Amino acid sequence: MSDFRLCRTSFFLIIFLLSFYSHSSDTSELIQNPHARSLISLNGKWNRIIDPYENGYYNHRYEAHTNGYFKNRKPQTPSELVEYNFETAKKIDVPGDWNSQEEQLFLYEGTLWYHKRFELNKQQNKRYLLHFGAANYHAIVYVNGEKVGEHEGGFTPFQFDITHVAKNRENFVVVKVDNSRKRDQIPTVNTDWWNYGGLTRSVSVIEVPESYLSDYHLALNSTTGAIEGSLKLSNAQKDGKVSLIIPELHIEKTIKVKANGETKFSINAKPELWRPENPKRYKVILSFNGETIEDAIGFRTIEVKGTEILLNGEPVFLRGISIHEESPFGAGRAWTEADGRTLLTWAKELGCNFVRLAHYPHNEMMLKIADEMGFMVWSEIPVYWTVMFEDQAVYAKAQQQLTEMISRDKNRASIVMWSVANETPVSDARISFLSRLIEKARELDSNRLITAAMDTQSNAKNGKLIDDPLAKYVDIIGINSYCGWYSDAPANCANLRWNSHYEKPIIMSEMGAGALAGLHGEKNEIWTEEYQSDVYKHNIEMMKNMPTLRGVTPWILKDFRSPRRPLDDIQDFWNRKGLLSETGQRKQAWYVLRDFYRSIAQQDQR
């Protein structure tokens, strides 16, 4: 039996082979716009083995097999290990979470092993990058029996250079994915969304030249009006020349890039500006070393002046809605283009020009559709609730996720603000942690605003006082407040007054109430559509009296899975605060918010 046959047949024989490889392939920086490159999709059916005790990774003494457990031992035969035979294992769809694919995995948290064979027509002078859109939460990746790397974080992309381990023709990849919740993770153990595990976004092998254009960024300078950008080469042995063409703007430019370095450039141009009413994008063509990459990029400016948010220099009110990355019709991670178009079409029908993609970076396709459809976007990392702010290792995880989010999406005109946190408790450690993240975000991207959602307002005479010290560091203050649901009666919300220590624009980043679609009654009966509608009516009256309010993203577009919601006749593991049911049925509050947004849009047009 060949080595390849041994590896692909027996789970433990893969681990056995690992002890004979002393090095891993180099990890590589995230490649910009991977789907515009030459690639082999690994999407489809993968073999899967459920491993709650991680028996495939540790022996009975909790020693990692990869640390030499099999050294000087005779490998076991496939017949002795049939319970870890990938060839007889069930299959699972990738992309996709395991919880919504198999009933026995609905509540599963732990390790699941993925296995897939693929063919590669390996070429000389080419490099091969194994790219993952996301894996929740911790992934260890092996190719042909060799560990190529690992990644932590459930919502951002990662990749490994597998050029030296990949073979011509037959190859196999094994991925250990563990979605166990742990205190020192980002997010931490306690969230209000379903912990969907698995390879939740696309997987592919990307073929690039030996030296390739790994990163690029183009944006409009709000001061000079010029298009400014940067380019970066990987594996370059000498200076290179990158061709940049924007046909519609009659731009053709050759840009010199230093070997293994980054070059910045500026081009005088007068592009038509991207805005929700006319989301203009330009075809951008970049060529280097035989590879040509196309992108569609919009140019716009976003800034804050006093208490105003200015898009292209004009004040704008953000008519928004919060969205979870969940299937439009039911449960499970949303990842397809159809999923994204459905969710954003619903937002458009609601009258939105803005969406808050909560509480983590959504898939890349969602942002490209937002670019196309004309949505401004709030994008955030899952620094959520009670993160361990004193732990420097936890900070490093948060900064990594922030960096990966910004690196992936910095060319998307739709994103107007990065969020560094949601509903975090006040403390000195938290301020130190989040202010460092804000500083890092501004270092990585000076073309967008910074925000955070806060639920830490103080009670004051006749209402609430915004006095959270975190507000000092952000450009826009996000407020989460559930008047009429978690506090007070709906009728009392209209007269609630808000004051702030800070002369900054405010977004009501969360408000709302729960309702079971189709359940009707009096407006004072909790869980009815009438109650939810009444909460919206009184909160809208409250928001009309907030002089520095510049946006709203109520919670939430549609009902979504949450283990915090008890199994009963109402919630049944669903958070019912959606304006739509889990199957897309509109509740009464949908129309209340839609009418409010129509009135704002009409005022803006005058």
Side-chain angles (χ1 to χ4, degrees):
M1 184 179 292
S2 69
D3 285 346
F4 174 76
R5 180 64 182 170
L6 282 170
C7 289
R8 76 181 191 187
T9 303
S10 174
F11 179 78
F12 269 129
L13 288 176
I14 291 172
I15 304 301
F16 165 74
L17 286 176
L18 298 178
S19 65
F20 291 95
Y21 290 94
S22 60
H23 73 279
S24 296
S25 292
D26 293 334
T27 58
S28 52
E29 293 181 271
L30 284 174
I31 194 167
Q32 189 64 215
N33 202 3
H35 301 293
R37 318 276 181 145
S38 176
L39 59 80
I40 300 168
S41 174
L42 299 189
N43 293 348
K45 297 291 184 182
W46 288 54
N47 304 309
R48 69 102 181 105
I49 293 174
I50 306 168
D51 194 11
Y53 277 21
E54 299 197 302
N55 196 40
Y57 195 73
Y58 299 106
N59 65 18
H60 65 296
R61 304 201 187 283
Y62 206 63
E63 299 167 333
H65 297 309
T66 52
N67 290 338
Y69 174 61
F70 284 121
K71 282 186 177 179
N72 303 317
R73 295 171 183 266
K74 182 179 178 181
Q76 294 167 278
T77 64
S79 61
E80 293 173 307
L81 296 167
V82 293
E83 69 270 27
Y84 283 92
N85 187 339
F86 277 120
E87 293 301 308
T88 59
K90 289 185 176 181
K91 296 186 181 296
I92 196 167
D93 288 328
V94 173
D97 61 276
W98 63 58
N99 311 81
S100 63
Q101 292 192 54
E102 295 185 36
E103 185 176 357
Q104 66 175 326
L105 295 175
F106 178 59
L107 290 167
Y108 181 65
E109 294 181 319
T111 286
L112 191 141
W113 293 85
Y114 288 80
H115 168 268
K116 189 175 182 67
R117 291 170 287 178
F118 65 95
E119 290 194 355
L120 187 65
N121 183 16
K122 193 174 182 183
Q123 304 291 314
Q124 289 186 343
N125 302 319
K126 297 287 186 181
R127 301 196 75 82
Y128 296 90
L129 311 175
L130 180 57
H131 186 275
F132 296 83
N136 192 33
Y137 169 79
H138 181 257
I140 305 177
V141 182
Y142 308 90
V143 174
N144 296 333
E146 180 171 347
K147 178 181 175 181
V148 295
E150 54 188 289
H151 180 266
E152 181 171 343
F155 303 98
T156 49
F158 57 99
Q159 68 189 39
F160 306 107
D161 190 328
I162 62 169
T163 306
H164 300 299
V165 297
K167 301 175 182 177
N168 192 37
R169 299 188 66 183
E170 290 188 324
N171 295 270
F172 69 93
V173 56
V174 172
V175 187
K176 176 186 182 293
V177 181
D178 183 1
N179 73 330
S180 300
R181 291 171 295 116
K182 296 178 182 178
R183 189 70 181 87
D184 64 348
Q185 293 179 169
I186 301 290
T188 186
V189 291
N190 200 11
T191 68
D192 191 13
W193 67 85
W194 206 264
N195 185 26
Y196 291 117
L199 298 176
T200 55
R201 297 178 190 160
S202 293
V203 183
S204 57
V205 176
I206 303 170
E207 182 185 79
V208 293
E210 181 68 32
S211 172
Y212 61 94
L213 177 64
S214 57
D215 196 19
Y216 59 88
H217 180 215
L218 285 83
L220 195 67
N221 185 302
S222 60
T223 302
T224 67
I227 294 175
E228 295 186 341
S230 63
L231 304 172
K232 188 169 187 178
L233 305 181
S234 286
N235 301 314
Q237 301 302 312
K238 59 183 180 179
D239 294 355
K241 295 181 179 179
V242 176
S243 168
L244 168 65
I245 301 175
I246 308 179
E248 199 172 347
L249 292 176
H250 307 291
I251 292 173
E252 293 189 20
K253 189 176 180 66
T254 299
I255 304 168
K256 293 182 180 180
V257 185
K258 293 182 179 180
N260 296 315
E262 183 173 347
T263 295
K264 295 183 178 181
F265 61 90
S266 179
I267 303 173
N268 291 324
K270 292 184 178 180
E272 184 178 350
L273 300 183
W274 182 100
R275 64 187 193 278
E277 300 77 17
N278 181 28
K280 175 65 179 177
R281 297 176 301 156
Y282 289 90
K283 179 189 285 187
V284 175
I285 306 168
L286 293 154
S287 301
F288 173 70
N289 200 17
E291 181 184 42
T292 297
I293 305 154
E294 290 190 8
D295 205 342
I297 297 178
F299 299 102
R300 55 101 191 101
T301 63
I302 189 76
E303 57 189 324
V304 163
K305 183 173 290 186
T307 59
E308 296 291 346
I309 300 173
L310 304 180
L311 176 68
N312 302 325
E314 297 293 330
V316 62
F317 189 90
L318 307 177
R319 309 185 308 271
I321 192 69
S322 297
I323 302 177
H324 259 303
E325 190 185 51
E326 189 154 279
S327 173
F329 302 107
R333 274 276 166 256
W335 65 272
T336 68
E337 181 177 353
D339 289 339
R341 289 196 181 278
T342 297
L343 292 167
L344 291 178
T345 296
W346 285 340
K348 185 72 74 174
E349 292 169 351
L350 189 59
C352 297
N353 61 7
F354 178 59
V355 290
R356 179 188 180 200
L357 300 184
H359 284 294
Y360 38 76
H362 287 216
N363 65 84
E364 186 177 12
M365 181 59 68
M366 190 73 163
L367 278 305
K368 290 187 175 182
I369 298 170
D371 267 14
E372 173 193 332
M373 293 181 69
F375 284 99
M376 293 175 283
V377 172
W378 162 321
S379 184
E380 71 187 41
I381 55 172
V383 176
Y384 184 92
W385 289 356
T386 52
V387 165
M388 297 174 65
F389 292 114
E390 301 85 358
D391 193 320
Q392 292 305 307
V394 174
Y395 174 81
K397 296 174 185 181
Q399 181 173 295
Q400 172 192 313
Q401 293 185 34
L402 177 74
T403 302
E404 290 169 347
M405 174 179 70
I406 293 175
S407 175
R408 190 194 71 175
D409 295 328
K410 59 180 177 285
N411 287 307
R412 302 284 67 87
S414 54
I415 298 181
V416 294
M417 63 190 76
W418 306 115
S419 172
V420 297
N422 177 78
E423 295 187 350
T424 51
V426 175
S427 72
D428 290 342
R430 171 250 206 173
I431 289 296
S432 175
F433 187 107
L434 296 181
S435 63
R436 288 172 64 196
L437 280 182
I438 290 168
E439 183 180 355
K440 183 64 177 179
R442 290 193 171 120
E443 173 192 325
L444 294 169
D445 180 10
S446 61
N447 295 303
R448 290 177 176 87
L449 306 174
I450 307 297
T451 190
M454 308 174 208
D455 65 344
T456 47
Q457 309 89 28
S458 297
N459 291 319
K461 186 177 181 180
N462 298 325
K464 296 286 185 179
L465 175 64
I466 300 171
D467 57 355
D468 188 328
L470 180 61
K472 172 184 175 183
Y473 298 90
V474 298
D475 299 307
I476 297 172
I477 303 169
I479 295 172
N480 292 358
S481 178
Y482 286 90
C483 184
W485 186 248
Y486 293 125
S487 65
D488 223 326
N492 295 335
C493 301
N495 296 321
L496 195 67
R497 294 295 183 265
W498 287 81
N499 292 294
S500 176
H501 280 332
Y502 308 93
E503 277 294 304
K504 295 185 177 185
I506 293 170
I507 293 176
M508 184 64 72
S509 43
E510 288 185 30
M511 51 77 62
L516 179 64
L519 180 63
H520 295 283
E522 299 298 323
K523 65 180 183 180
N524 62 350
E525 292 183 62
I526 194 171
W527 297 116
T528 63
E529 289 193 33
E530 287 75 11
Y531 186 96
Q532 184 188 44
S533 176
D534 198 47
V535 168
Y536 267 77
K537 290 176 182 177
H538 289 293
N539 273 267
I540 286 171
E541 291 305 310
M542 175 192 73
M543 289 187 290
K544 288 178 180 178
N545 293 319
M546 298 175 66
T548 61
L549 185 75
R550 297 296 178 262
V552 188
T553 53
W555 194 258
I556 186 170
L557 181 64
K558 70 173 287 284
D559 293 351
F560 61 95
R561 282 284 188 198
S562 173
R564 294 175 60 84
R565 311 298 159 172
L567 289 167
D568 55 28
D569 293 336
I570 299 293
Q571 297 181 99
D572 204 24
F573 277 159
W574 291 95
N575 186 311
R576 296 294 184 189
K577 294 187 183 69
L579 295 175
L580 302 167
S581 72
E582 69 270 26
T583 58
Q585 179 183 348
R586 294 182 181 183
K587 305 175 190 178
Q588 289 184 10
W590 163 282
Y591 300 98
V592 174
L593 186 63
R594 183 201 63 182
D595 292 346
F596 175 53
Y597 284 164
R598 283 181 176 177
S599 68
I600 293 175
Q602 289 170 357
Q603 291 174 9
D604 290 344
Q605 291 170 3
R606 292 172 187 167

